[in-house]
Amino acid sequence: MTQTTASLESLFRLDGEVALVTGAGAGIGRAIALMLAQAGASIVAADRDAETAAQTVSLIEAAGGQGLAVVADVSLAADCNKMIDETIARFGRLDVLVNNAGIYPPFPRLPEVDWDLFDRTLDINVKAVLRCTIEAARRMSSGGRIVNMSSMESIRPSGPSASHYNITKGAVNAMTRAAAVDLASLGIRVNAVLPGFIMTEGTSAIPEAALEQFANRAPSNRVGKPEDIAAATLFLASKASDYVNGHCLLVDGGTTIVGG
Ligand SMILES: NC(=O)c1ccc[n+]([C@@H]2O[C@H](COP(=O)([O-])OP(=O)(O)OC[C@H]3O[C@@H](n4cnc5c(N)ncnc54)[C@H](O)[C@@H]3O)[C@@H](O)[C@H]2O)c1
């Protein structure tokens, strides 16, 4: 019995491994960084905001873990390379990449369009994910894992004025499947998490009434917490998901299945 418990636990452990989390200075990214650290990984917390990245590392170290804060704007090729170089320089390896950094600015409702805003969103939500995936895959050993942050909005839009964002997250799903196929020969698994509505710094401006609506729509009857997404990410980053590849995992309290 004791032996079973120990091996179950070890399925989710990342001891001796190194995980790079983008957008780790806030919200979902910070929760992922903290949970992967709790599972034993050394963490590289990358964010374009130096102060919040450093705060994430302080939290990891206060809990007894190891971390390195890296200032990087993932939409810049040079920063993406620097982030991976600094990971290897400090920890000597890279086992897990979490492509979490993303933006969701308010968009005009179609048929209006703001092309500059769309290009910027594509740069961060799509091109940066592809670039970081490629650069990480070149430096990872066999057994590496990549987890991309998509959105339930890629499956079923929850309202108007989000088309541009939803398009980028649909691309992340397609990229996840394509990369899983292409990187299989290197022994690298690629999966995605599709969060429902999660309370974070990025969504904090949403009015109370809208929050209540989101909560009521979810069969789980609440809005999501960053830790809900961190737990799913840990699963996809760990041995527990060894036979899961190219999968887009909805973590939305059931919102997508019921609609409304
Ligand atoms: N919160 C939700 O309801 C929700 C739902 C579905 C999907 N998501 C996705 O989850 C991810 C995280 O969302 P969140 O709510 O935690 O966001 P957030 O705005 O609370 O935090 C995002 C973090 O990413 C950083 N960041 C943004 N652009 C960056 C860049 N170019 N380079 C480096 N760092 C950058 C920010 O500084 C910030 O620390 C995003 O990809 C988002 O699309 C969120």
Side-chain angles (χ1 to χ4, degrees):
M1 190 64 169
T2 316
Q3 204 180 357
T4 310
T5 309
S7 66
L8 268 181
E9 260 178 38
S10 71
L11 278 178
F12 293 92
R13 296 293 309 174
L14 301 175
D15 300 295
E17 297 204 317
V18 177
L20 166 58
V21 183
T22 68
I28 291 171
R30 175 174 282 177
I32 291 170
L34 293 177
M35 201 174 282
L36 300 191
Q38 208 184 329
S42 298
I43 303 295
V44 178
D47 205 289
R48 62 183 174 188
D49 184 325
E51 198 178 325
T52 59
Q55 282 165 1
T56 298
V57 169
S58 297
L59 290 168
I60 289 169
E61 288 172 348
Q66 259 200 315
L68 170 71
V70 174
V71 185
D73 178 339
V74 291
S75 67
L76 303 175
D79 280 18
C80 175
N81 290 336
K82 179 189 86 164
M83 187 174 81
I84 293 169
D85 287 347
E86 288 190 22
T87 302
I88 304 289
R90 168 69 187 271
F91 295 115
R93 56 191 287 164
L94 173 62
D95 302 281
V96 175
L97 167 68
V98 183
N99 281 311
N100 164 77
I103 53 165
Y104 31 79
F107 289 105
R109 188 190 285 230
L110 297 180
E112 301 306 318
V113 63
D114 178 338
W115 289 112
D116 289 341
L117 185 57
F118 185 44
D119 284 344
R120 176 84 185 127
T121 311
L122 275 175
D123 280 348
I124 296 175
N125 289 8
V126 181
K127 283 166 72 179
V129 175
L130 181 59
R131 186 181 293 115
C132 292
T133 294
I134 291 168
E135 292 306 326
R138 287 181 172 149
R139 314 288 285 275
M140 274 175 169
S141 306
S142 177
R145 287 132 280 152
I146 297 174
V147 182
N148 297 327
M149 209 47 63
S150 177
S151 170
M152 73 170 175
E153 300 282 333
S154 65
I155 304 283
R156 187 181 176 284
S158 62
S161 300
S163 299
H164 305 59
Y165 174 81
N166 297 353
I167 289 164
T168 66
K169 293 302 186 178
V172 170
N173 299 350
M175 199 193 312
T176 298
R177 298 184 187 108
V181 173
D182 269 22
L183 300 182
S185 60
L186 299 177
I188 295 170
R189 287 192 292 121
V190 188
N191 290 288
V193 178
L194 281 57
F197 183 84
I198 311 296
M199 279 302 297
T200 65
E201 287 83 340
T203 55
S204 60
I206 302 226
E208 196 63 34
L211 279 184
E212 217 167 291
Q213 246 180 12
F214 275 119
N216 292 341
R217 275 204 345 239
S220 293
N221 208 29
R222 66 170 173 86
V223 295
K225 303 182 298 257
E227 291 73 21
D228 295 320
I229 305 307
T233 304
L234 172 59
F235 167 65
L236 293 174
S238 71
K239 289 182 280 299
S241 61
D242 201 42
Y243 200 50
V244 182
N245 206 353
H247 184 62
C248 295
L249 178 62
L250 273 166
V251 183
D252 66 347
T255 305
T256 310
I257 53 166
V258 295

